[in-house]
PDB file of all heavy atoms in Angstrom:
ATOM      1  N   ALA A   1     181.154 254.554  21.963  1.00 89.00           N
ATOM      2  CA  ALA A   1     182.238 253.699  22.472  1.00 89.00           C
ATOM      3  C   ALA A   1     183.337 254.541  22.924  1.00 89.00           C
ATOM      4  O   ALA A   1     183.711 255.559  22.415  1.00 89.00           O
ATOM      5  CB  ALA A   1     182.683 252.723  21.458  1.00 89.00           C
ATOM      6  N   SER A   2     184.021 254.087  23.999  1.00 93.00           N
ATOM      7  CA  SER A   2     185.219 254.756  24.522  1.00 93.00           C
ATOM      8  C   SER A   2     186.456 253.806  24.475  1.00 93.00           C
ATOM      9  O   SER A   2     186.274 252.551  24.609  1.00 93.00           O
ATOM     10  CB  SER A   2     185.046 255.260  25.951  1.00 93.00           C
ATOM     11  OG  SER A   2     184.665 254.259  26.844  1.00 93.00           O
ATOM     12  N   TYR A   3     187.603 254.284  24.311  1.00 95.00           N
ATOM     13  CA  TYR A   3     188.836 253.478  24.166  1.00 95.00           C
ATOM     14  C   TYR A   3     189.906 254.115  25.001  1.00 95.00           C
ATOM     15  O   TYR A   3     189.956 255.293  25.183  1.00 95.00           O
ATOM     16  CB  TYR A   3     189.231 253.445  22.724  1.00 95.00           C
ATOM     17  CG  TYR A   3     188.180 253.052  21.769  1.00 95.00           C
ATOM     18  CD1 TYR A   3     187.411 254.006  21.077  1.00 95.00           C
ATOM     19  CD2 TYR A   3     187.904 251.754  21.489  1.00 95.00           C
ATOM     20  CE1 TYR A   3     186.381 253.770  20.252  1.00 95.00           C
ATOM     21  CE2 TYR A   3     186.845 251.449  20.566  1.00 95.00           C
ATOM     22  CZ  TYR A   3     186.129 252.385  19.913  1.00 95.00           C
ATOM     23  OH  TYR A   3     185.110 252.081  19.038  1.00 95.00           O
ATOM     24  N   TYR A   4     190.813 253.238  25.475  1.00 97.00           N
ATOM     25  CA  TYR A   4     191.850 253.672  26.347  1.00 97.00           C
ATOM     26  C   TYR A   4     193.222 253.093  25.906  1.00 97.00           C
ATOM     27  O   TYR A   4     193.236 251.895  25.411  1.00 97.00           O
ATOM     28  CB  TYR A   4     191.612 253.306  27.750  1.00 97.00           C
ATOM     29  CG  TYR A   4     190.385 254.017  28.373  1.00 97.00           C
ATOM     30  CD1 TYR A   4     189.090 253.395  28.276  1.00 97.00           C
ATOM     31  CD2 TYR A   4     190.470 255.279  28.878  1.00 97.00           C
ATOM     32  CE1 TYR A   4     187.942 254.033  28.779  1.00 97.00           C
ATOM     33  CE2 TYR A   4     189.267 255.938  29.333  1.00 97.00           C
ATOM     34  CZ  TYR A   4     188.126 255.364  29.268  1.00 97.00           C
ATOM     35  OH  TYR A   4     186.911 255.990  29.777  1.00 97.00           O
ATOM     36  N   GLY A   5     194.274 253.810  26.197  1.00 97.00           N
ATOM     37  CA  GLY A   5     195.637 253.255  26.100  1.00 97.00           C
ATOM     38  C   GLY A   5     195.898 252.183  27.172  1.00 97.00           C
ATOM     39  O   GLY A   5     195.193 252.173  28.271  1.00 97.00           O
ATOM     40  N   SER A   6     196.715 251.282  26.817  1.00 96.00           N
ATOM     41  CA  SER A   6     196.894 250.040  27.704  1.00 96.00           C
ATOM     42  C   SER A   6     197.438 250.526  29.020  1.00 96.00           C
ATOM     43  O   SER A   6     197.243 249.714  30.022  1.00 96.00           O
ATOM     44  CB  SER A   6     197.947 249.081  26.948  1.00 96.00           C
ATOM     45  OG  SER A   6     199.153 249.780  26.656  1.00 96.00           O
ATOM     46  N   PHE A   7     198.108 251.531  29.153  1.00 97.00           N
ATOM     47  CA  PHE A   7     198.687 251.919  30.468  1.00 97.00           C
ATOM     48  C   PHE A   7     197.626 252.507  31.383  1.00 97.00           C
ATOM     49  O   PHE A   7     197.799 252.537  32.603  1.00 97.00           O
ATOM     50  CB  PHE A   7     199.716 253.033  30.271  1.00 97.00           C
ATOM     51  CG  PHE A   7     199.147 254.367  29.664  1.00 97.00           C
ATOM     52  CD1 PHE A   7     198.735 255.235  30.618  1.00 97.00           C
ATOM     53  CD2 PHE A   7     199.112 254.552  28.348  1.00 97.00           C
ATOM     54  CE1 PHE A   7     198.205 256.547  30.165  1.00 97.00           C
ATOM     55  CE2 PHE A   7     198.501 255.771  27.869  1.00 97.00           C
ATOM     56  CZ  PHE A   7     198.109 256.761  28.728  1.00 97.00           C
ATOM     57  N   VAL A   8     196.458 252.860  30.926  1.00 96.00           N
ATOM     58  CA  VAL A   8     195.468 253.408  31.770  1.00 96.00           C
ATOM     59  C   VAL A   8     194.985 252.548  32.778  1.00 96.00           C
ATOM     60  O   VAL A   8     194.875 252.935  33.994  1.00 96.00           O
ATOM     61  CB  VAL A   8     194.241 253.955  30.923  1.00 96.00           C
ATOM     62  CG1 VAL A   8     193.157 254.461  31.746  1.00 96.00           C
ATOM     63  CG2 VAL A   8     194.691 255.052  30.028  1.00 96.00           C
ATOM     64  N   LYS A   9     194.592 251.371  32.498  1.00 94.00           N
ATOM     65  CA  LYS A   9     194.325 250.299  33.518  1.00 94.00           C
ATOM     66  C   LYS A   9     193.231 250.769  34.519  1.00 94.00           C
ATOM     67  O   LYS A   9     193.363 250.614  35.815  1.00 94.00           O
ATOM     68  CB  LYS A   9     195.542 249.828  34.281  1.00 94.00           C
ATOM     69  CG  LYS A   9     196.509 249.105  33.369  1.00 94.00           C
ATOM     70  CD  LYS A   9     197.730 248.578  34.130  1.00 94.00           C
ATOM     71  CE  LYS A   9     198.560 247.600  33.370  1.00 94.00           C
ATOM     72  NZ  LYS A   9     198.914 247.936  32.011  1.00 94.00           N
ATOM     73  N   GLY A  10     192.114 251.325  33.986  1.00 94.00           N
ATOM     74  CA  GLY A  10     190.964 251.723  34.812  1.00 94.00           C
ATOM     75  C   GLY A  10     191.132 253.026  35.604  1.00 94.00           C
ATOM     76  O   GLY A  10     190.273 253.330  36.330  1.00 94.00           O
ATOM     77  N   ARG A  11     192.299 253.710  35.479  1.00 98.00           N
ATOM     78  CA  ARG A  11     192.565 254.902  36.279  1.00 98.00           C
ATOM     79  C   ARG A  11     191.892 256.129  35.689  1.00 98.00           C
ATOM     80  O   ARG A  11     191.614 257.103  36.302  1.00 98.00           O
ATOM     81  CB  ARG A  11     194.011 255.155  36.379  1.00 98.00           C
ATOM     82  CG  ARG A  11     194.781 253.992  37.103  1.00 98.00           C
ATOM     83  CD  ARG A  11     196.243 254.318  37.251  1.00 98.00           C
ATOM     84  NE  ARG A  11     196.904 254.466  35.966  1.00 98.00           N
ATOM     85  CZ  ARG A  11     197.681 255.596  35.617  1.00 98.00           C
ATOM     86  NH1 ARG A  11     197.822 256.513  36.434  1.00 98.00           N
ATOM     87  NH2 ARG A  11     198.259 255.594  34.419  1.00 98.00           N
ATOM     88  N   PHE A  12     191.721 256.157  34.423  1.00 98.00           N
ATOM     89  CA  PHE A  12     191.103 257.352  33.660  1.00 98.00           C
ATOM     90  C   PHE A  12     189.752 257.040  33.090  1.00 98.00           C
ATOM     91  O   PHE A  12     189.449 255.934  32.762  1.00 98.00           O
ATOM     92  CB  PHE A  12     192.086 257.730  32.520  1.00 98.00           C
ATOM     93  CG  PHE A  12     193.433 258.152  32.854  1.00 98.00           C
ATOM     94  CD1 PHE A  12     194.412 258.474  31.892  1.00 98.00           C
ATOM     95  CD2 PHE A  12     193.916 258.236  34.232  1.00 98.00           C
ATOM     96  CE1 PHE A  12     195.683 258.806  32.195  1.00 98.00           C
ATOM     97  CE2 PHE A  12     195.174 258.614  34.514  1.00 98.00           C
ATOM     98  CZ  PHE A  12     196.095 258.820  33.520  1.00 98.00           C
ATOM     99  N   THR A  13     188.976 258.116  32.961  1.00 97.00           N
ATOM    100  CA  THR A  13     187.625 257.939  32.381  1.00 97.00           C
ATOM    101  C   THR A  13     187.448 259.149  31.449  1.00 97.00           C
ATOM    102  O   THR A  13     187.578 260.263  31.862  1.00 97.00           O
ATOM    103  CB  THR A  13     186.499 258.049  33.477  1.00 97.00           C
ATOM    104  OG1 THR A  13     186.662 256.961  34.416  1.00 97.00           O
ATOM    105  CG2 THR A  13     185.170 257.919  32.756  1.00 97.00           C
ATOM    106  N   VAL A  14     187.126 258.834  30.160  1.00 96.00           N
ATOM    107  CA  VAL A  14     186.889 259.842  29.167  1.00 96.00           C
ATOM    108  C   VAL A  14     185.385 259.985  28.976  1.00 96.00           C
ATOM    109  O   VAL A  14     184.595 258.951  28.921  1.00 96.00           O
ATOM    110  CB  VAL A  14     187.532 259.492  27.903  1.00 96.00           C
ATOM    111  CG1 VAL A  14     187.033 258.291  27.259  1.00 96.00           C
ATOM    112  CG2 VAL A  14     187.490 260.623  26.913  1.00 96.00           C
ATOM    113  N   SER A  15     184.917 261.207  28.792  1.00 94.00           N
ATOM    114  CA  SER A  15     183.484 261.473  28.560  1.00 94.00           C
ATOM    115  C   SER A  15     183.444 262.832  27.773  1.00 94.00           C
ATOM    116  O   SER A  15     184.422 263.551  27.597  1.00 94.00           O
ATOM    117  CB  SER A  15     182.716 261.614  29.842  1.00 94.00           C
ATOM    118  OG  SER A  15     183.231 262.647  30.678  1.00 94.00           O
ATOM    119  N   GLY A  16     182.246 262.994  27.257  1.00 92.00           N
ATOM    120  CA  GLY A  16     182.051 264.273  26.459  1.00 92.00           C
ATOM    121  C   GLY A  16     180.924 264.202  25.579  1.00 92.00           C
ATOM    122  O   GLY A  16     180.041 263.301  25.668  1.00 92.00           O
ATOM    123  N   ASP A  17     180.828 265.268  24.766  1.00 89.00           N
ATOM    124  CA  ASP A  17     179.719 265.436  23.846  1.00 89.00           C
ATOM    125  C   ASP A  17     180.320 265.744  22.439  1.00 89.00           C
ATOM    126  O   ASP A  17     180.741 266.808  22.209  1.00 89.00           O
ATOM    127  CB  ASP A  17     178.790 266.559  24.269  1.00 89.00           C
ATOM    128  CG  ASP A  17     177.560 266.710  23.462  1.00 89.00           C
ATOM    129  OD1 ASP A  17     177.582 266.414  22.295  1.00 89.00           O
ATOM    130  OD2 ASP A  17     176.564 267.229  23.942  1.00 89.00           O
ATOM    131  N   ASN A  18     180.369 264.711  21.586  1.00 84.00           N
ATOM    132  CA  ASN A  18     181.099 264.911  20.315  1.00 84.00           C
ATOM    133  C   ASN A  18     180.358 265.928  19.430  1.00 84.00           C
ATOM    134  O   ASN A  18     180.936 266.633  18.649  1.00 84.00           O
ATOM    135  CB  ASN A  18     181.148 263.572  19.654  1.00 84.00           C
ATOM    136  CG  ASN A  18     182.192 262.670  20.227  1.00 84.00           C
ATOM    137  OD1 ASN A  18     182.434 262.688  21.459  1.00 84.00           O
ATOM    138  ND2 ASN A  18     182.835 261.908  19.430  1.00 84.00           N
ATOM    139  N   ALA A  19     179.071 266.046  19.612  1.00 86.00           N
ATOM    140  CA  ALA A  19     178.192 266.954  18.820  1.00 86.00           C
ATOM    141  C   ALA A  19     178.658 268.343  19.113  1.00 86.00           C
ATOM    142  O   ALA A  19     178.756 269.238  18.370  1.00 86.00           O
ATOM    143  CB  ALA A  19     176.705 266.823  19.029  1.00 86.00           C
ATOM    144  N   LYS A  20     178.929 268.653  20.385  1.00 88.00           N
ATOM    145  CA  LYS A  20     179.346 269.952  20.903  1.00 88.00           C
ATOM    146  C   LYS A  20     180.803 270.102  20.893  1.00 88.00           C
ATOM    147  O   LYS A  20     181.360 271.165  21.257  1.00 88.00           O
ATOM    148  CB  LYS A  20     178.804 270.329  22.347  1.00 88.00           C
ATOM    149  CG  LYS A  20     177.287 270.351  22.412  1.00 88.00           C
ATOM    150  CD  LYS A  20     176.742 270.595  23.820  1.00 88.00           C
ATOM    151  CE  LYS A  20     175.221 270.624  23.831  1.00 88.00           C
ATOM    152  NZ  LYS A  20     174.747 270.912  25.278  1.00 88.00           N
ATOM    153  N   MET A  21     181.486 268.989  20.683  1.00 89.00           N
ATOM    154  CA  MET A  21     182.959 268.978  20.704  1.00 89.00           C
ATOM    155  C   MET A  21     183.524 269.418  21.964  1.00 89.00           C
ATOM    156  O   MET A  21     184.382 270.324  22.128  1.00 89.00           O
ATOM    157  CB  MET A  21     183.542 269.789  19.494  1.00 89.00           C
ATOM    158  CG  MET A  21     183.196 269.229  18.203  1.00 89.00           C
ATOM    159  SD  MET A  21     183.870 270.083  16.741  1.00 89.00           S
ATOM    160  CE  MET A  21     185.627 269.639  16.897  1.00 89.00           C
ATOM    161  N   THR A  22     183.060 268.806  22.998  1.00 93.00           N
ATOM    162  CA  THR A  22     183.606 268.949  24.431  1.00 93.00           C
ATOM    163  C   THR A  22     184.048 267.606  24.908  1.00 93.00           C
ATOM    164  O   THR A  22     183.424 266.547  24.605  1.00 93.00           O
ATOM    165  CB  THR A  22     182.597 269.558  25.359  1.00 93.00           C
ATOM    166  OG1 THR A  22     181.410 268.660  25.418  1.00 93.00           O
ATOM    167  CG2 THR A  22     182.073 270.924  24.912  1.00 93.00           C
ATOM    168  N   LEU A  23     185.118 267.633  25.639  1.00 95.00           N
ATOM    169  CA  LEU A  23     185.733 266.348  26.095  1.00 95.00           C
ATOM    170  C   LEU A  23     186.281 266.504  27.485  1.00 95.00           C
ATOM    171  O   LEU A  23     186.832 267.631  27.822  1.00 95.00           O
ATOM    172  CB  LEU A  23     186.844 266.000  25.164  1.00 95.00           C
ATOM    173  CG  LEU A  23     187.293 264.532  25.069  1.00 95.00           C
ATOM    174  CD1 LEU A  23     186.166 263.548  24.631  1.00 95.00           C
ATOM    175  CD2 LEU A  23     188.470 264.354  24.181  1.00 95.00           C
ATOM    176  N   ILE A  24     186.053 265.457  28.271  1.00 96.00           N
ATOM    177  CA  ILE A  24     186.616 265.455  29.700  1.00 96.00           C
ATOM    178  C   ILE A  24     187.520 264.241  29.893  1.00 96.00           C
ATOM    179  O   ILE A  24     187.223 263.200  29.346  1.00 96.00           O
ATOM    180  CB  ILE A  24     185.430 265.388  30.704  1.00 96.00           C
ATOM    181  CG1 ILE A  24     184.516 266.629  30.483  1.00 96.00           C
ATOM    182  CG2 ILE A  24     186.036 265.314  32.032  1.00 96.00           C
ATOM    183  CD1 ILE A  24     185.130 267.904  30.934  1.00 96.00           C
ATOM    184  N   LEU A  25     188.546 264.364  30.594  1.00 98.00           N
ATOM    185  CA  LEU A  25     189.290 263.278  30.995  1.00 98.00           C
ATOM    186  C   LEU A  25     189.590 263.372  32.499  1.00 98.00           C
ATOM    187  O   LEU A  25     190.238 264.139  32.969  1.00 98.00           O
ATOM    188  CB  LEU A  25     190.759 263.279  30.331  1.00 98.00           C
ATOM    189  CG  LEU A  25     191.610 262.061  30.572  1.00 98.00           C
ATOM    190  CD1 LEU A  25     190.968 260.768  30.001  1.00 98.00           C
ATOM    191  CD2 LEU A  25     193.075 262.296  30.042  1.00 98.00           C
ATOM    192  N   GLN A  26     188.880 262.445  33.228  1.00 98.00           N
ATOM    193  CA  GLN A  26     189.085 262.353  34.705  1.00 98.00           C
ATOM    194  C   GLN A  26     190.196 261.371  34.948  1.00 98.00           C
ATOM    195  O   GLN A  26     190.099 260.194  34.514  1.00 98.00           O
ATOM    196  CB  GLN A  26     187.764 261.845  35.374  1.00 98.00           C
ATOM    197  CG  GLN A  26     187.881 261.574  36.798  1.00 98.00           C
ATOM    198  CD  GLN A  26     188.074 262.923  37.554  1.00 98.00           C
ATOM    199  OE1 GLN A  26     187.434 263.934  37.304  1.00 98.00           O
ATOM    200  NE2 GLN A  26     189.018 262.872  38.521  1.00 98.00           N
ATOM    201  N   MET A  27     191.208 261.877  35.618  1.00 98.00           N
ATOM    202  CA  MET A  27     192.385 261.105  35.799  1.00 98.00           C
ATOM    203  C   MET A  27     192.548 260.832  37.329  1.00 98.00           C
ATOM    204  O   MET A  27     192.699 261.809  38.143  1.00 98.00           O
ATOM    205  CB  MET A  27     193.642 261.698  35.302  1.00 98.00           C
ATOM    206  CG  MET A  27     193.586 261.998  33.820  1.00 98.00           C
ATOM    207  SD  MET A  27     195.102 262.581  33.103  1.00 98.00           S
ATOM    208  CE  MET A  27     195.266 264.119  33.957  1.00 98.00           C
ATOM    209  N   ASN A  28     192.525 259.581  37.742  1.00 98.00           N
ATOM    210  CA  ASN A  28     192.700 259.214  39.171  1.00 98.00           C
ATOM    211  C   ASN A  28     193.914 258.335  39.342  1.00 98.00           C
ATOM    212  O   ASN A  28     194.463 257.823  38.334  1.00 98.00           O
ATOM    213  CB  ASN A  28     191.511 258.482  39.667  1.00 98.00           C
ATOM    214  CG  ASN A  28     190.187 259.204  39.585  1.00 98.00           C
ATOM    215  OD1 ASN A  28     190.156 260.458  39.715  1.00 98.00           O
ATOM    216  ND2 ASN A  28     189.143 258.505  39.287  1.00 98.00           N
ATOM    217  N   SER A  29     194.372 258.246  40.560  1.00 98.00           N
ATOM    218  CA  SER A  29     195.531 257.375  40.898  1.00 98.00           C
ATOM    219  C   SER A  29     196.715 257.810  39.997  1.00 98.00           C
ATOM    220  O   SER A  29     197.384 256.823  39.491  1.00 98.00           O
ATOM    221  CB  SER A  29     195.227 255.908  40.707  1.00 98.00           C
ATOM    222  OG  SER A  29     194.097 255.541  41.607  1.00 98.00           O
ATOM    223  N   LEU A  30     196.993 259.011  39.896  1.00 98.00           N
ATOM    224  CA  LEU A  30     198.042 259.418  38.982  1.00 98.00           C
ATOM    225  C   LEU A  30     199.469 259.059  39.501  1.00 98.00           C
ATOM    226  O   LEU A  30     199.679 258.959  40.656  1.00 98.00           O
ATOM    227  CB  LEU A  30     198.016 261.031  38.834  1.00 98.00           C
ATOM    228  CG  LEU A  30     196.853 261.463  37.933  1.00 98.00           C
ATOM    229  CD1 LEU A  30     196.616 262.958  38.145  1.00 98.00           C
ATOM    230  CD2 LEU A  30     197.281 261.245  36.434  1.00 98.00           C
ATOM    231  N   LYS A  31     200.295 258.841  38.568  1.00 98.00           N
ATOM    232  CA  LYS A  31     201.677 258.333  38.828  1.00 98.00           C
ATOM    233  C   LYS A  31     202.651 259.352  38.270  1.00 98.00           C
ATOM    234  O   LYS A  31     202.301 260.005  37.276  1.00 98.00           O
ATOM    235  CB  LYS A  31     201.895 256.923  38.193  1.00 98.00           C
ATOM    236  CG  LYS A  31     200.886 255.911  38.574  1.00 98.00           C
ATOM    237  CD  LYS A  31     201.172 254.548  37.852  1.00 98.00           C
ATOM    238  CE  LYS A  31     200.027 253.576  38.183  1.00 98.00           C
ATOM    239  NZ  LYS A  31     200.253 252.362  37.323  1.00 98.00           N
ATOM    240  N   PRO A  32     203.879 259.382  38.748  1.00 97.00           N
ATOM    241  CA  PRO A  32     204.852 260.280  38.146  1.00 97.00           C
ATOM    242  C   PRO A  32     205.015 260.046  36.637  1.00 97.00           C
ATOM    243  O   PRO A  32     205.316 260.982  36.007  1.00 97.00           O
ATOM    244  CB  PRO A  32     206.101 259.943  38.971  1.00 97.00           C
ATOM    245  CG  PRO A  32     205.586 259.477  40.290  1.00 97.00           C
ATOM    246  CD  PRO A  32     204.351 258.739  39.982  1.00 97.00           C
ATOM    247  N   GLU A  33     204.884 258.814  36.269  1.00 97.00           N
ATOM    248  CA  GLU A  33     205.061 258.533  34.818  1.00 97.00           C
ATOM    249  C   GLU A  33     203.940 259.070  34.007  1.00 97.00           C
ATOM    250  O   GLU A  33     204.003 259.056  32.790  1.00 97.00           O
ATOM    251  CB  GLU A  33     205.310 257.008  34.529  1.00 97.00           C
ATOM    252  CG  GLU A  33     204.253 256.195  35.189  1.00 97.00           C
ATOM    253  CD  GLU A  33     204.672 255.614  36.511  1.00 97.00           C
ATOM    254  OE1 GLU A  33     205.254 256.385  37.284  1.00 97.00           O
ATOM    255  OE2 GLU A  33     204.438 254.401  36.805  1.00 97.00           O
ATOM    256  N   ASP A  34     202.874 259.597  34.583  1.00 98.00           N
ATOM    257  CA  ASP A  34     201.811 260.220  33.828  1.00 98.00           C
ATOM    258  C   ASP A  34     202.125 261.695  33.430  1.00 98.00           C
ATOM    259  O   ASP A  34     201.387 262.327  32.821  1.00 98.00           O
ATOM    260  CB  ASP A  34     200.567 260.236  34.604  1.00 98.00           C
ATOM    261  CG  ASP A  34     199.947 258.846  34.755  1.00 98.00           C
ATOM    262  OD1 ASP A  34     199.963 258.033  33.773  1.00 98.00           O
ATOM    263  OD2 ASP A  34     199.492 258.481  35.871  1.00 98.00           O
ATOM    264  N   THR A  35     203.264 262.205  34.022  1.00 98.00           N
ATOM    265  CA  THR A  35     203.699 263.533  33.694  1.00 98.00           C
ATOM    266  C   THR A  35     203.940 263.693  32.190  1.00 98.00           C
ATOM    267  O   THR A  35     204.689 262.962  31.598  1.00 98.00           O
ATOM    268  CB  THR A  35     204.933 263.845  34.479  1.00 98.00           C
ATOM    269  OG1 THR A  35     204.724 263.792  35.823  1.00 98.00           O
ATOM    270  CG2 THR A  35     205.438 265.287  34.086  1.00 98.00           C
ATOM    271  N   ALA A  36     203.223 264.747  31.667  1.00 98.00           N
ATOM    272  CA  ALA A  36     203.283 264.995  30.128  1.00 98.00           C
ATOM    273  C   ALA A  36     202.486 266.109  29.858  1.00 98.00           C
ATOM    274  O   ALA A  36     201.638 266.640  30.703  1.00 98.00           O
ATOM    275  CB  ALA A  36     202.859 263.762  29.458  1.00 98.00           C
ATOM    276  N   ILE A  37     202.533 266.549  28.653  1.00 98.00           N
ATOM    277  CA  ILE A  37     201.615 267.576  28.078  1.00 98.00           C
ATOM    278  C   ILE A  37     200.427 266.733  27.561  1.00 98.00           C
ATOM    279  O   ILE A  37     200.661 265.801  26.636  1.00 98.00           O
ATOM    280  CB  ILE A  37     202.256 268.428  27.000  1.00 98.00           C
ATOM    281  CG1 ILE A  37     203.371 269.249  27.600  1.00 98.00           C
ATOM    282  CG2 ILE A  37     201.182 269.378  26.426  1.00 98.00           C
ATOM    283  CD1 ILE A  37     204.152 270.115  26.679  1.00 98.00           C
ATOM    284  N   TYR A  38     199.304 267.098  27.840  1.00 98.00           N
ATOM    285  CA  TYR A  38     198.085 266.344  27.344  1.00 98.00           C
ATOM    286  C   TYR A  38     197.352 267.222  26.338  1.00 98.00           C
ATOM    287  O   TYR A  38     197.106 268.362  26.524  1.00 98.00           O
ATOM    288  CB  TYR A  38     197.115 266.020  28.577  1.00 98.00           C
ATOM    289  CG  TYR A  38     197.628 264.857  29.425  1.00 98.00           C
ATOM    290  CD1 TYR A  38     198.788 265.010  30.131  1.00 98.00           C
ATOM    291  CD2 TYR A  38     196.997 263.761  29.375  1.00 98.00           C
ATOM    292  CE1 TYR A  38     199.280 264.003  30.933  1.00 98.00           C
ATOM    293  CE2 TYR A  38     197.454 262.574  30.112  1.00 98.00           C
ATOM    294  CZ  TYR A  38     198.555 262.832  30.897  1.00 98.00           C
ATOM    295  OH  TYR A  38     199.040 261.781  31.666  1.00 98.00           O
TER     296      TYR A  38
END
């Protein structure tokens, strides 16, 4: 299962391999308010 913060609204997609502990965050339609340290 994957979960998202309420502000994401379909713009981001999380994927990865928990067994290998790798994680991807594809971020589309970025907004200035997305500016942050991730």
